[in-house]
Amino acid sequence: QGLKPLVPTESPDPHLIFGTSKPSPGLPPTDPFLNINKVPDLQKVFQRSDGLPVHLKRGYPDRMLYRTTMALTIGGTFYCLVALYIASQPKNQ
C-alpha cells in the first residue's frame, strides 16, 4: 500500500467548471440581482459617521429589532430570576 503520491496521476475532467461569470442554467439572464451591485451603497450607509452603532444604521427596522431583542432579553432574565426565587422557597407539606 504505502504512501500515495501528492500529485494526481489522472488528468482533471475538462467538463468541470469551478468558477464562471455565466448565470446558472436555471436562472433567466435578466434577473435583477445578477446586474445590481449594492455593496457600494451599503458601504456608504455603514461608514457614515453619524454616531450610531453599526447595528442601528439602517433606521427604523433596526431600531425595532434592537428594542424587541432587548425587551425579550430583559423579560427572559426577569422570568428566570422569578422562577429561581419560586424554586428556592421551601415546600409546605
Side-chain angles (χ1 to χ4, degrees):
Q1 299 281 340
L3 297 175
K4 295 182 180 179
L6 293 176
V7 180
T9 56
E10 307 154 357
S11 64
D13 188 6
H15 300 295
L16 290 178
I17 299 174
F18 293 103
T20 180
S21 60
K22 297 178 184 177
S24 64
L27 295 174
T30 58
D31 258 355
F33 75 89
L34 293 175
N35 300 328
I36 299 172
N37 185 5
K38 295 181 182 179
V39 172
D41 297 330
L42 290 174
Q43 283 177 338
K44 288 177 188 173
V45 169
F46 288 113
Q47 291 177 355
R48 188 173 50 218
S49 64
D50 52 6
L52 288 174
V54 172
H55 59 276
L56 296 175
K57 290 265 187 185
R58 294 183 78 184
Y60 184 75
D62 282 349
R63 284 195 306 263
M64 290 307 295
L65 284 171
Y66 178 76
R67 289 176 183 169
T68 302
T69 302
M70 286 298 110
L72 289 171
T73 302
I74 292 169
T77 303
F78 181 73
Y79 176 80
C80 287
L81 291 174
V82 169
L84 284 172
Y85 175 76
I86 292 172
S88 69
Q89 298 302 311
K91 300 215 186 262
N92 295 332
Q93 292 181 356

